[in-house]
Amino acid sequence: MEGSCAGWRGHIIVCGLDDVGLRTVEQLHLAGVRIVVVEDDADARLVRVVRGWGVPVVVGSPRLVETLGEAGLPGAVAVICVLGDDLHTIEAALLTRENRPDIRIVVQLRNAAVGRALSALSISVLDVAGLSTPSLVEACLRTGTHELDLDGTRFVAAQTVADFTGPLRSRYGALAPLAVTSADGLEIEVCPGRDHVVRPGDVVTLLGTAPELEDAGLNSDTTVAASARPNWLRRKLHVAQTVLTAVDRRLAYALGALFFLLVTAMVVLRLGYREPDGTRMTLLDAGYFAVETIGTVGFGDFYFRDQPSWLRGFAIALMILGVLLATSFYALLTNTLVSIRLQEAMGRRRLTQLTGHVVVAGLGSVGVRVVERLHGAGLDVVVIEHDESCRYADQVRDLGIPVIFADATLPRTLDRVQLAEARAVAVLTSDDLVNLETGLAIRDQLGERASDVPVVLRLFDRTLAATVERNFNLGLARSTAALAAPWFVGAALGLDVIATFYVSSQLMLVGRLTVAPGGGLDGLAMQDLSARTRVVAISRAEGELEHPPRRNTRFSAGDKAYLIGPYEELLQVLRRDDRTQPLGHPLRRRVADPRPHG
């Protein structure tokens, strides 16, 4: 079968079969698109799965023009490069561009500088970490809202709990319903009509502009609530508490002794010292002299030659004791400040006073993006990382965020980061088994608070993620590959993907589609689209944004339609509009997760 690909037309070539590559192939396959996979070092199990779908796999390097030719590059409409090595991805993309200047090329790349250079060559550059971060942060913060920018207009998808029985339109009017999740969380209705009947306890996700949501009594704020933000006073108190907990007890003793000596000297000088005219030293003068003596400054303002012998002896003792105590205090203070700095540099700052923070386990490319976004939202963050040579550790420390190098599954480590006082936990290593083990350890450590603290797990396997949520009560499992794959598919097929986010366990895709002249959507009415797809706005050729469009509104060539729904449905809409796409096989509604287990 692989040998016949050279003569194919209208297909998509996917280079790479790990992580996002497998998910991309799966989604293209479900959408009925013809695909050829190119991989020179793929897992044999994954190759068997893909070939079981009827997708040919060309074994060879995508960095060779012969291999790309065998995959049918001359007749392909797009190439997706999702190789594990950035350098190999760059080579494959540049080689493809040289041989097919007109073809769509989509690449996965983590290096921003190189990505900008490739973008200048009309190559779409996507970063999995950046694409999946918003959904992971939303799961941590439980905001229940998703902000979307549609043609310059701010829309917000907000969740609310129904408190009535009746149709959606009776309470929410013209707001576009995206999903209704039953009170028990077992059933979800995607893109229901406004006549859909809800019951108390159902979770309703609605889309509208901020004013529309506020008119309906819904919160449109997608940022962290002000009460959740640490204010400046709390930050100052936290800094003071951190310093106090790090202070050596001997420093307090030295400071106390200095204060006692100062007070004693002021009293003695006030009562015993006499000016030449017989007047006593004022209290201010006594304090001034005591401080300059202890500080070894000695400006010669006061003379003791004519004072009683006992007072001259006291002055000598004051100088000696003052020097000894001041020197000890300076040494202990320096040691404390250096210790605090070293503890921060090593990620071991004492966190005993920290509350309402987010614990992030795993500081890879995804973890660092999540940490930066949480920090930007004004939240305290603590990072646990197993690898002391982590490349992102210094980047995070520069933000003032402590990094603890330890095993996140150990109770001692979790106690150290004040897990009992945390508001959320994100487990984001690149190993599914480690994430699952860490999540279970965190659940056990949280005890009764397990239901109140969201624990977000990064898992590759979509079926495993759903199973973990149902059976282990671990909170929210998110597949970064599943979140990112629709962006690659959409970019390859000509759909501008704007966002991906979860509604309960359903992954939703937000995309923009330009209606092709003479295509399947040209002249079609809204009501004739799939019931599981919601057209939330249409930008007409004249520049006018129509929101919300009516059911009998018809598409016209050149319109930009903004759609929301499951990615399978949106890809079917895209293929319906594109007359150049081969028909392929029909969309399959339900499939098992393709990743082999074992």
Side-chain angles (χ1 to χ4, degrees):
M1 183 175 181
E2 280 76 10
S4 64
C5 299
W8 279 22
R9 294 290 182 271
H11 61 291
I12 293 178
I13 300 174
V14 179
C15 302
L17 201 54
D18 291 334
D19 296 338
V20 177
L22 179 62
R23 291 298 172 204
T24 301
V25 171
E26 175 199 14
Q27 294 184 13
L28 287 169
H29 168 70
L30 292 174
V33 179
R34 299 181 75 188
I35 323 155
V36 177
V37 174
V38 177
E39 179 61 271
D40 60 348
D41 189 27
D43 189 320
R45 298 174 299 168
L46 301 183
V47 172
R48 287 196 298 271
V49 169
V50 171
R51 284 176 171 162
W53 295 338
V55 176
V57 179
V58 176
V59 179
S61 173
R63 295 172 289 155
L64 299 176
V65 67
E66 294 81 7
T67 305
L68 294 176
E70 187 179 348
L73 179 61
V77 296
V79 174
I80 301 175
C81 296
V82 284
L83 301 169
D85 188 287
D86 278 0
L87 182 59
H88 293 172
T89 297
I90 296 168
E91 289 184 70
L94 293 177
L95 180 63
T96 302
R97 177 56 73 218
E98 288 179 354
N99 287 272
R100 284 289 308 275
D102 59 325
I103 199 172
R104 291 191 193 117
I105 303 177
V106 187
V107 302
Q108 169 188 314
L109 204 61
R110 289 174 286 271
N111 189 298
V114 178
R116 289 191 292 270
L118 291 180
S119 297
L121 301 176
S122 298
I123 296 174
S124 299
V125 179
L126 300 175
D127 177 17
V128 172
L131 298 177
S132 57
T133 294
S135 182
L136 294 171
V137 173
E138 285 173 5
C140 285
L141 301 183
R142 285 181 171 175
T143 59
T145 56
H146 315 273
E147 185 173 351
L148 306 171
D149 184 356
L150 306 183
D151 199 30
T153 301
R154 177 177 177 257
F155 287 78
V156 179
Q159 288 186 350
T160 185
V161 179
D163 56 1
F164 69 100
T165 299
L168 289 168
R169 71 170 68 249
S170 66
R171 172 68 173 81
Y172 306 115
L175 292 176
L178 300 183
V180 175
T181 306
S182 61
D184 57 11
L186 299 179
E187 298 180 5
I188 178 171
E189 182 74 19
V190 178
C191 295
R194 292 186 176 87
D195 293 323
H196 180 83
V197 177
V198 295
R199 294 172 177 78
D202 289 351
V203 179
V204 183
T205 304
L206 302 146
L207 182 77
T209 61
E212 290 171 345
L213 290 170
E214 289 170 3
D215 289 343
L218 302 179
N219 179 24
S220 63
D221 186 8
T222 61
T223 62
V224 184
S227 61
R229 291 181 182 270
N231 56 34
W232 68 271
L233 179 59
R234 180 186 167 198
R235 288 184 179 279
K236 297 298 183 183
L237 289 174
H238 171 61
V239 171
Q241 290 168 339
T242 301
V243 173
L244 288 175
T245 56
V247 168
D248 191 325
R249 186 173 297 178
R250 293 172 299 175
L251 179 62
Y253 293 155
L255 182 61
L258 274 173
F259 181 75
F260 178 77
L261 180 63
L262 177 64
V263 172
T264 301
M266 291 175 63
V267 172
V268 171
L269 292 171
R270 176 74 176 85
L271 298 176
Y273 186 88
R274 292 288 188 277
E275 296 286 357
D277 59 0
T279 61
R280 295 180 182 275
M281 181 182 287
T282 66
L283 192 62
L284 180 61
D285 286 343
Y288 171 75
F289 177 77
V291 171
E292 73 172 355
T293 302
I294 294 174
T296 68
V297 178
F299 295 109
D301 304 90
F302 300 95
Y303 299 93
F304 280 72
R305 184 176 57 186
D306 299 330
Q307 299 299 319
S309 299
W310 70 268
L311 192 57
R312 292 202 299 270
F314 175 79
I316 294 172
L318 176 63
M319 287 184 281
I320 295 174
L321 288 175
V323 169
L324 291 176
L325 289 176
T327 304
S328 300
F329 175 77
Y330 295 147
L332 291 170
L333 179 62
T334 301
N335 179 69
T336 298
L337 295 176
V338 171
S339 297
I340 292 175
R341 181 60 182 166
L342 287 175
Q343 289 170 356
E344 289 182 344
M346 298 176 65
R348 296 175 181 172
R349 187 178 63 177
R350 292 184 174 96
L351 302 168
T352 55
Q353 304 298 325
L354 198 59
T355 60
H357 57 292
V358 180
V359 178
V360 176
L363 195 58
S365 58
V366 174
V368 69
R369 296 290 187 87
V370 171
V371 169
E372 290 176 338
R373 196 176 182 96
L374 290 169
H375 177 74
L379 291 167
D380 288 319
V381 184
V382 181
V383 177
I384 305 174
E385 170 58 41
H386 188 268
D387 183 8
E388 295 191 16
S389 63
C390 174
R391 58 183 295 192
Y392 299 109
D394 290 338
Q395 179 179 336
V396 171
R397 287 183 186 133
D398 288 343
L399 297 175
I401 298 172
V403 180
I404 309 298
F405 291 106
D407 187 344
T409 64
L410 299 178
R412 178 184 177 185
T413 303
L414 299 178
D415 285 338
R416 187 176 176 186
V417 298
Q418 294 298 297
L419 178 66
E421 302 297 330
R423 64 172 292 171
V425 183
V427 186
L428 307 174
T429 76
S430 57
D431 189 307
D432 279 6
L433 181 58
V434 171
N435 290 342
L436 181 57
E437 181 184 4
T438 303
L440 291 171
I442 290 171
R443 184 193 65 179
D444 294 341
Q445 192 75 3
L446 285 171
E448 295 180 354
R449 291 195 67 220
S451 59
D452 300 326
V453 179
V455 179
V456 182
L457 303 184
R458 174 195 180 189
L459 298 176
F460 173 86
D461 195 316
R462 190 172 60 185
T463 299
L464 176 62
T467 302
V468 165
E469 285 192 7
R470 289 195 305 267
N471 298 301
F472 288 151
N473 191 28
L474 277 180
L476 303 169
R478 295 289 182 257
S479 168
T480 52
L483 284 166
W487 294 76
F488 289 87
V489 174
L493 295 179
L495 177 69
D496 294 328
V497 178
I498 297 173
T500 54
F501 61 90
Y502 277 92
V503 175
S504 185
S505 59
Q506 175 64 57
L507 180 63
M508 303 289 282
L509 181 68
V510 185
R512 178 178 58 206
L513 170 65
T514 301
V515 178
L521 296 183
D522 193 358
L524 187 72
M526 304 286 120
Q527 59 191 6
D528 295 329
L529 285 178
S530 166
R532 288 166 56 88
T533 300
R534 178 77 62 195
V535 181
V536 295
I538 298 178
S539 180
R540 299 296 187 181
E542 303 83 25
E544 177 185 355
L545 184 68
E546 183 178 340
H547 162 73
R550 299 183 179 276
R551 288 173 54 82
N552 58 357
T553 300
R554 295 185 178 274
F555 293 107
S556 299
D559 289 347
K560 293 181 180 178
Y562 294 89
L563 306 98
I564 296 182
Y567 68 86
E568 302 99 329
E569 305 292 340
L570 263 63
L571 293 182
Q572 285 296 88
V573 173
L574 177 66
R575 286 173 50 77
R576 180 174 183 174
D577 186 54
D578 191 350
R579 296 176 300 170
T580 65
Q581 289 291 336
L583 292 178
H585 52 72
L587 176 69
R588 291 162 175 78
R589 296 288 181 182
R590 299 172 63 89
V591 294
D593 190 276
R595 183 162 181 169
H597 302 271

